Amino acid sequence: MRTQAPSSIEMLQRLVAFDTTSRNSNLELITDIQGYLSEFGVASTLVPNAEGTKANLFATIGPQAEGGIVLSGHTDVVPVDGQPWTTDPWTLTEKPDGNLYGRGTCDMKGFIGSVMTLLPEMRDAKLKTPFHFAFSYDEEIGCVGAPVMLAELRERGIRPDGCIVGEPTSMRVIVAHKGINAYQCCVRGHAAHSSLTPKGSNAIEYAARLICYIRDLADHFKQNGPFDELFDVPFTTAQTGTISGGIALNTIPALCEFVFEYRNLPGVDAEGIFQRIQQYAMDELVPKMQKEHPNAGIEFKKIAAAPALDASEQDAITQLVRALTKDADKRKVAYGTEAGQFQRAGVPSIVCGPGNIEQAHKPNEFVSLEQIAQCESFLQKLIRSNTVGA
């Protein structure tokens, strides 16, 4: 397999060496990619976050024409803290089992590396319509970067015909995924000595009631749907991920904070789910809390939101990728991607990329040489399909 994709491996080695854990800046990697593009005469635009510490990159290869296809990938990766790695996560390591190990090899620097490797072929081809590179920041913490880039494209009047998001799918076509919605909840009570409980308002206990309500909603969706059996988890889910509160056993806690998420099926009103949770908090819990202390209350902060994807089989991008991969099966996944954001912005999108999602986020993350070769072959077919005379 090395003979089929040697340059992709070299580029992947280059990308993995950058520690782009979401808590860090991705600017070193992004400026390295920008420099690589400039070597081939390709101009690119950096779209920074508000603080200027991170940036998306957008570039166009080919004719300055309407439409074109976006090749999209995120540059950030999840942490390696506390994971039992047997290799250096920031050094690409090839093993005799035919796999390439390192953080981000699967999710999703393998796809970005393959795209960058095919840049010379794209540049030299007589393309009918352009290819657009869209590399984002902070996908792993809630698809934060892509909306900033999409807003920039709208302002510049760029309207692509379709988007391929190269998340790990084992190079199979994914036409739908769930939406992701994450919130921080702050429950403010009133402190008092635990021997004087009527003089306090217990933030932990009210937080627990709200958490149980969220669990009841999850149980309702599990029992009553709606259902879509093409998903591995065929209903909308909800869960509480972290919680903190209290300072001592003998002190009524004045503060409790927790983080919860729900993942909605396409077609399920994501905002409606939050409104049910918020209404329960404001109508049922807050009045009781304020009878105990007037300053008690509950606050919500949205920390991540990525819409569901539900691609149409009639979309040209769906038909094209199906034809190039010879994959006619209809697959839907529970994890989220930036494809839903592109679709909401009016760009028909699908998900297809190298690697298996089961390897993502784990210690000893890997992508196989075979998957990298398949991705490069797919991209070569994509280029040929967009060449004058094809």
Side-chain angles (χ1 to χ4, degrees):
M1 286 297 178
R2 286 290 301 233
T3 59
Q4 296 184 48
S7 296
S8 290
I9 295 170
E10 293 172 11
M11 182 57 68
L12 180 54
Q13 182 179 34
R14 181 170 173 171
L15 297 176
V16 168
F18 292 99
D19 178 357
T20 52
T21 304
S22 300
R23 62 179 174 236
N24 301 331
S25 172
N26 73 333
L27 288 179
E28 287 189 10
L29 181 146
I30 281 291
T31 55
D32 186 72
I33 291 176
Q34 187 175 46
Y36 180 81
L37 291 171
S38 67
E39 291 175 15
F40 293 92
V42 177
S44 58
T45 300
L46 300 188
V47 186
N49 64 352
E51 298 77 19
T53 56
K54 301 180 181 182
N56 301 304
L57 180 144
F58 185 83
T60 297
I61 298 90
Q64 298 298 312
E66 292 286 324
I69 294 174
V70 177
L71 301 174
S72 171
H74 64 80
T75 61
D76 62 318
V77 298
V78 299
V80 299
D81 306 36
Q83 292 186 334
W85 283 75
T86 58
T87 64
D88 180 355
W90 312 115
T91 300
L92 188 70
T93 303
E94 181 180 350
K95 291 189 176 182
D97 59 6
N99 296 324
L100 300 167
Y101 292 81
R103 176 57 89 218
T105 50
C106 173
D107 185 18
M108 56 181 295
K109 293 178 179 179
F111 178 75
I112 295 175
S114 297
V115 169
M116 297 298 294
T117 296
L118 271 293
L119 172 63
E121 291 191 31
M122 294 182 193
R123 181 200 60 176
D124 295 339
K126 295 181 179 180
L127 298 177
K128 293 181 283 188
T129 59
F131 286 111
H132 305 288
F133 293 176
F135 302 146
S136 65
Y137 65 85
D138 283 358
E139 188 272 350
E140 294 289 6
I141 57 174
C143 298
V144 174
V148 179
M149 178 160 50
L150 287 166
E152 176 75 12
L153 298 189
R154 282 193 298 272
E155 288 187 10
R156 294 169 59 185
I158 297 174
R159 298 179 178 84
D161 294 322
C163 175
I164 301 170
V165 177
E167 290 278 4
T169 69
S170 299
M171 291 308 301
R172 299 178 298 182
V173 180
I174 300 299
V175 296
H177 65 63
K178 293 182 178 181
I180 301 175
N181 312 270
Y183 290 83
Q184 181 183 56
C185 180
C186 178
V187 180
R188 300 186 185 277
H190 183 70
H193 193 282
S194 61
S195 66
L196 304 171
T197 55
K199 296 185 178 295
S201 182
N202 193 309
I204 289 179
E205 292 176 354
Y206 283 105
R209 294 184 185 186
L210 185 52
I211 289 169
C212 288
Y213 179 79
I214 294 169
R215 174 55 190 260
D216 288 343
L217 269 183
D219 291 342
H220 172 81
F221 289 129
K222 182 178 180 180
Q223 295 167 9
N224 302 295
F227 300 101
D228 186 334
E229 297 301 333
L230 289 177
F231 282 90
D232 49 359
V233 180
F235 47 85
T236 295
T237 60
Q239 65 100 25
T240 299
T242 64
I243 184 170
S244 63
I247 60 171
L249 175 62
N250 61 353
T251 302
I252 295 173
L255 180 67
C256 183
E257 296 180 321
F258 65 95
V259 174
F260 67 94
E261 67 159 17
Y262 53 91
R263 294 179 180 244
N264 59 292
L265 290 175
V268 172
D269 181 12
E271 184 61 26
I273 294 174
F274 173 68
Q275 289 174 358
R276 291 171 69 176
I277 296 169
Q278 185 180 47
Q279 183 175 7
Y280 174 77
M282 299 306 161
D283 293 352
E284 297 293 328
L285 300 183
V286 171
K288 295 177 181 177
M289 296 173 67
Q290 292 185 343
K291 283 183 179 179
E292 296 172 349
H293 194 278
N295 293 331
I298 298 176
E299 302 166 3
F300 294 94
K301 178 183 178 182
K302 182 184 289 187
I303 56 177
L309 170 71
D310 193 9
S312 169
E313 291 294 336
Q314 281 67 52
D315 287 339
I317 191 67
T318 306
Q319 295 180 11
L320 174 61
V321 176
R322 286 204 181 284
L324 297 181
T325 59
K326 294 182 168 52
D327 180 10
D329 292 341
K330 198 165 186 177
R331 299 184 185 87
K332 303 180 180 183
V333 295
Y335 60 85
T337 79
E338 293 171 335
Q341 293 171 317
F342 277 93
Q343 184 181 57
R344 178 172 286 184
V347 183
S349 304
I350 58 90
V351 186
C352 183
N356 189 319
I357 193 65
E358 292 184 2
Q359 306 306 325
H361 299 193
K362 291 183 177 180
N364 301 316
E365 177 183 347
F366 69 83
V367 66
S368 70
L369 288 166
E370 181 181 8
Q371 283 286 300
I372 293 294
Q374 287 184 22
C375 182
E376 192 163 308
S377 175
F378 165 76
L379 292 170
Q380 289 170 333
K381 293 176 184 176
L382 184 65
I383 295 167
R384 289 196 293 269
S385 73
N386 190 28
T387 300
V388 174

